[in-house]
């Protein structure tokens, strides 16, 4: 079980996505998942080992690291990727439910089980709203946990057992900051894509509904 | 999940590329991605552990390493390869959109649609003309821009392409100017020069492909203008013959490249 599972999930989701949704899948795949795996993971690999405090007191480094990094950037990033990809499963389940229903009744109930209309449209819209919500939640979490998206070179720590205020140095802060900004930029791009898709779908189906009603009235 | 997934995505684009485009893709996967994964990652693997400064002052090594390597070579290359591969997706999306339109026409029962079944539409190879030509040319242009930007960023960040053995650092908390030694500087220099050389080759291939597409475009235009004047019906036969020849050439190239890359 590894990131290959998420890759297969996203490929499956791509089948039932429309227009902007497919661009969203491509952005998540290439600019978030691939960048995470080939670049970001290695930067944070030895973050604890390379975190150095100007003191020999046993336990001080551990305690300070834990205080400044309650959840590592990279773990939060991985969680974000997984959570943000999951709402699309709602659409996949709904399509599977439709196909099962058709099989059960042994007749064609829908124009095509994968067509985004009726109940499936509601599910698709809900999944978009959930994706956006989760992206925003994680961005806010990142901002609150680490006081912005900057990674300082030096942090001052005075938690027991450190005998007084000691200087602790974070490894590769500039590189980490560059990739954090990259993460934020791609998250924002994904939020914009989801918002555009939501607006487009609502607009399209409102016009469709309105036209249907208008034609009925004329008749 | 790794570079193989990118290979799968771009492999689909390969079918609709020109011969030079296919060579570019092969160079990208064999001389850049593969070298990055099997060799460069090993060379840069221990870069911070073996970066040693002549001081026992805690924090000095971290700070000096961060000062001289704001972003590691290996990560910059990975980002460069991702950005350079992405414009090809524009072509893939355009092709997918065209296929979707043809399938819609086929389902509607449009008599203009020349396909017998959906499978034929799925397997069809689109020629690079019309709006697809513009998409394809824009993607090559974007690739060129990204390559140039990353090469410049590399040159600017590391003051050239050489990896020095020794760096002098006096950032706080280092007590004074200390000597810091980089691990495997010669091997890193060799790989850096290799990657820069292959980037340059890719830039040349992209420029050649761009020139080829532009030449083809202008030739086709002048031919159409000439033919419309003299032989209103003749141009179709000539074009069909040329198309068949182009197809044969590109198919034989494709087979060579697929055989090579697999």
């Amino acid at each position: 079980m590894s990131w290959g599972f998420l890759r297969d999930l996203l490929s499956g989701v791509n089948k039932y996505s429309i227009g902007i949704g497919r661009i969203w899948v491509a952005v998540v795949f290439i600019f978030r998942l691939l960048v995470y795996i080939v670049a970001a993971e290695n930067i944070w690999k030895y973050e604890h080992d390379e975190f150095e405090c100007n003191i020999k007191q046993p336990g001080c480094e551990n305690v300070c690291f834990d205080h400044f990094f309650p959840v590592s950037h990279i773990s939060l990033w991985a969680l974000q990727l997984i959570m943000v990809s999951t709402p699309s499963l709602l659409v996949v389940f709904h399509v599977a439910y439709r196909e099962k229903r058709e099989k059960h009744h042994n007749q064609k109930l829908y124009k095509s089980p994968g067509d985004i209309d009726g109940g499936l449209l509601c599910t698709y819209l809900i999944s978009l709203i959930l994706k956006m919500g989760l992206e925003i939640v994680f961005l806010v979490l990142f901002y609150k946990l680490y006081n912005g998206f900057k990674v300082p070179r030096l942090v001052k720590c005075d938690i027991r057992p450190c005998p007084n205020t000691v200087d602790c140095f974070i490894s590769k802060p500039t590189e980490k900051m560059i990739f954090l900004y990259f993460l934020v930029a791609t998250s924002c791009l994904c939020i914009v894509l989801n918002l555009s898709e939501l607006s487009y779908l609502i607009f399209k189906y409102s016009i469709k509904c309105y036209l249907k009603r208008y034609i009925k009235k004329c008749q | 999940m790794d570079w193989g997934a990118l290979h799968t995505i771009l492999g689909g684009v390969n079918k609709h590329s020109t011969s030079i485009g296919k060579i570019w893709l092969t160079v990208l996967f064999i001389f850049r991605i593969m070298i990055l994964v099997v060799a460069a990652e090993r060379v840069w693997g221990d870069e911070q552990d073996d970066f040693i400064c002549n001081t026992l002052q805690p924090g000095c090594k971290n700070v000096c390493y961060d000062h001289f390597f704001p972003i590691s070579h290996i990560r910059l290359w990975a980002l460069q390869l991702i950005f350079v591969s992405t414009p090809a997706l524009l072509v893939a999306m355009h092709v997918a959109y065209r296929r979707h339109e043809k399938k819609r026409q086929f389902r509607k029962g449009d008599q203009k649609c020349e396909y017998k079944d959906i499978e034929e539409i799925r397997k069809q190879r689109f020629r690079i003309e019309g709006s697809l030509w513009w998409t394809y040319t824009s993607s090559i242009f974007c690739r060129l821009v990204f390559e140039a930007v990353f090469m410049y960023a590399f040159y600017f960040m590391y003051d050239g392409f050489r990896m020095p053995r020794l760096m002098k650092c006096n950032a706080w908390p280092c007590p004074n100017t200390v000597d810091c030694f980089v691990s495997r500087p010669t091997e890193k220099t060799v790989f850096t020069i290799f990657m820069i050389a292959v980037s340059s080759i890719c830039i040349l291939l992209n420029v050649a492909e761009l020139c080829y597409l532009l030449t083809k475009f202008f030739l086709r235009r002048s031919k159409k203008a000439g033919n419309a004047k003299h032989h209103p019906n003749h141009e179709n036969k000539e074009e069909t013959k040329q198309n068949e020849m182009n197809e044969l050439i590109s198919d034989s190239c494709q087979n060579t490249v697929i055989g090579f890359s697999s």
Side-chain angles (χ1 to χ4, degrees), chain A residues 62-105:
Chain A
N62 279 8
V63 153
C64 292
F65 183 85
D66 186 61
H67 174 75
F68 288 106
F69 302 107
V71 180
S72 163
H73 292 96
I74 201 81
S75 311
L76 214 52
W77 192 339
L79 262 176
Q80 184 188 20
L81 275 174
I82 294 168
M83 300 292 257
V84 148
S85 313
T86 332
S88 307
L89 277 178
L90 292 173
V91 176
V92 175
F93 289 155
H94 196 143
V95 171
Y97 165 75
R98 277 187 169 188
E99 282 169 352
K100 199 175 169 193
R101 237 181 123 211
E102 270 191 355
K103 229 182 183 175
H104 182 72
H105 290 270

Side-chain angles (χ1 to χ4, degrees), chain A residues 2-4 7 23 26 29-31 33-35 37-39 42-43 50-55 153-154 167 169-175 178-179 182, chain B residues 1-3 5-6 9 41 45 47-49 57-63 65-67 69-72 75 78-79 82-83 86 89 93 171-173:
Chain A
S2 68
W3 289 108
R7 178 196 61 187
I23 300 175
F29 217 66
I30 293 177
F31 291 106
L33 195 55
L34 191 60
V35 167
I37 291 169
V38 308
N42 292 327
I43 301 173
E50 290 163 358
F51 181 77
E52 209 176 353
C53 289
N54 189 3
I55 187 129
R153 269 187 188 181
L154 159 75
D167 294 330
F169 300 90
I170 297 170
S171 71
K172 309 192 212 190
T174 312
E175 203 167 2
I178 291 173
F179 276 87
F182 190 82
Chain B
M1 162 82 209
D2 54 10
W3 292 105
L6 192 69
I9 297 169
E41 271 185 0
E47 59 177 325
Q48 195 172 352
D49 288 338
Q57 170 64 46
C60 179
K61 186 175 112 158
N62 275 5
V63 155
Y65 181 85
D66 183 63
H67 176 74
F69 302 108
I71 176 165
S72 167
R75 253 79 68 180
L79 275 178
I82 290 171
F83 273 88
T86 323
L89 285 181
M93 285 182 198
W172 189 87

Side-chain angles (χ1 to χ4, degrees), chain B:
Chain B
M1 162 82 209
D2 54 10
W3 292 105
L6 192 69
H7 181 253
T8 317
I9 297 169
L10 294 181
V13 175
N14 198 25
K15 211 166 64 160
H16 308 280
S17 302
T18 60
S19 313
I20 304 176
K22 288 170 188 172
I23 296 171
W24 174 84
L25 210 64
T26 311
V27 168
L28 184 79
F29 276 105
I30 295 181
F31 294 105
R32 296 175 81 177
I33 294 178
M34 212 165 132
I35 296 287
L36 185 78
V37 169
V38 308
E41 271 185 0
R42 188 187 46 83
V43 172
W44 269 268
D46 53 8
E47 59 177 325
Q48 195 172 352
D49 288 338
D50 290 348
F51 180 78
I52 294 178
C53 290
N54 190 3
T55 185
L56 282 175
Q57 170 64 46
C60 179
K61 186 175 112 158
N62 275 5
V63 155
C64 291
Y65 181 85
D66 183 63
H67 176 74
F68 289 112
F69 302 108
I71 176 165
S72 167
H73 289 69
I74 205 111
R75 253 79 68 180
L76 206 54
W77 281 327
L79 275 178
Q80 182 185 13
L81 287 171
I82 290 171
F83 273 88
V84 150
S85 319
T86 323
L89 285 181
L90 292 173
V91 177
M93 285 182 198
H94 194 143
V95 165
Y97 170 75
R98 272 205 183 172
R99 276 216 183 102
H100 177 76
E101 288 297 307
K102 298 257 185 223
K103 278 184 190 166
R104 212 157 54 94
Q105 270 181 355
F106 180 80
R107 280 203 198 107
K108 270 189 185 165
D110 197 338
Q111 270 158 19
K112 265 192 273 174
C113 190
E114 61 269 25
Y115 302 102
K116 293 196 186 76
D117 58 33
I118 291 260
E119 271 309 306
E120 221 182 294
I121 299 173
R122 209 170 279 156
K123 290 193 189 133
Q124 194 222 3
R125 184 181 163 267
F126 290 100
R127 292 195 58 221
I128 303 171
E129 53 190 18
S131 53
L132 187 60
W133 184 91
W134 287 101
T135 309
Y136 195 82
T137 315
S138 315
S139 77
I140 297 177
F141 186 72
C142 287
R143 267 189 238 160
L144 271 169
V145 168
F146 285 136
E147 290 270 23
V149 163
F150 273 95
M151 275 182 78
Y152 177 72
F154 215 94
Y155 187 83
F156 179 75
M157 261 199 274
Y158 299 110
D159 277 333
F161 302 122
R162 247 193 89 234
M163 180 72 79
R165 269 185 190 178
L166 160 73
M167 291 165 162
K168 290 193 183 283
C169 172
N170 61 2
W172 189 87
C174 304
N176 44 47
T177 306
V178 300
D179 293 334
C180 293
F181 300 89
V182 178
S183 76
R184 307 192 215 214
T186 311
E187 201 170 1
K188 285 176 181 172
T189 307
V190 166
F191 272 98
T192 306
I193 293 175
F194 180 85
M195 293 298 260
I196 297 296
V198 181
S199 284
S200 311
I201 292 173
C202 286
I203 289 176
L204 286 172
L205 285 170
N206 285 329
V207 169
E209 199 176 1
L210 207 57
C211 295
Y212 167 73
L213 284 169
L214 288 169
T215 314
K216 211 170 137 183
F217 175 73
F218 288 120
L219 277 174
R220 208 186 292 147
R221 254 179 114 179
S222 58
K223 222 185 190 178
K224 265 191 184 157
N227 278 340
K229 246 190 190 173
H230 299 115
H231 303 285
N233 291 326
H234 187 57
E235 67 169 69
N236 288 333
K237 283 189 194 160
E238 282 225 0
E239 252 192 32
T240 323
K241 222 180 175 179
Q242 187 61 44
N243 291 347
E244 282 173 20
M245 277 180 65
N246 283 346
E247 292 248 359
L248 276 168
I249 294 167
S250 61
D251 279 339
S252 66
C253 278
Q254 186 182 7
N255 290 336
T256 319
V257 164
I258 287 172
F260 197 32
S261 51
S262 61

Side-chain angles (χ1 to χ4, degrees), chain A residues 94 98 110-124 205 208:
Chain A
H94 196 143
R98 277 187 169 188
Y110 309 101
K111 204 163 52 178
S112 156
D115 247 358
I116 308 277
D117 57 6
L120 189 59
L121 173 67
C122 287
T123 311
Y124 197 79
Y205 285 94
K208 221 178 179 179

